[in-house]
Amino acid sequence: MSNFECDLVADLLPGYIDRKTSNETNIFVERHIKSCQECRELYEAMIGDVVVADRPVINKRKFRINSIGKMGLIVLGYLVVVVLGLVAFTYIIVNGVL
Ligand SMILES: [Zn+2]
């Protein structure tokens, strides 16, 4: 295969893996990958990356960050209430209002 096609396939592969390419492009990429070992290896390496860094890992991270964020807000809210309560309580004790 020509170097031009290899460059083209290398450019198209990310979109092809994300299924953003057209049918014609998919056919072209698939045909080239089948006949060109270099590009097939590149494709398999990219798929390997995608599988490693794909949904489960990323979504779990996002989910964890989101739940930590929500928990953090709840904890922060409680802390503010507790601190304000303590400050008010201390103020009342010190000034003997009650
Ligand atoms: Zn190639």
Side-chain angles (χ1 to χ4, degrees):
M1 281 296 165
S2 68
N3 276 337
F4 171 72
E5 275 198 17
C6 289
D7 286 346
L8 201 58
V9 167
D11 281 346
L12 291 171
L13 272 177
Y16 170 77
I17 290 165
D18 288 343
R19 291 172 192 177
K20 286 171 186 164
T21 46
S22 66
N23 255 350
E24 287 81 1
T25 305
N26 293 344
I27 290 165
F28 167 74
V29 170
E30 280 160 17
R31 199 180 289 163
H32 182 87
I33 285 171
K34 273 177 194 166
S35 61
C36 176
Q37 198 194 339
E38 215 171 294
C39 290
R40 188 164 59 240
E41 281 170 6
L42 178 67
Y43 169 68
E44 278 162 7
M46 284 173 130
I47 280 187
D49 283 349
V50 167
V51 170
V52 168
D54 202 10
R55 287 159 210 161
V57 176
I58 289 172
N59 281 351
K60 265 184 193 170
R61 266 188 209 152
K62 273 185 186 170
F63 179 70
R64 274 182 199 159
I65 289 166
N66 280 343
S67 48
I68 287 168
K70 277 179 190 169
M71 282 302 291
L73 278 178
I74 291 166
V75 169
L76 197 69
Y78 276 119
L79 277 176
V80 167
V81 169
V82 167
V83 167
L84 283 177
L86 278 174
V87 167
F89 186 70
T90 307
Y91 181 83
I92 288 163
I93 296 282
V94 167
N95 291 285
V97 174
L98 289 177

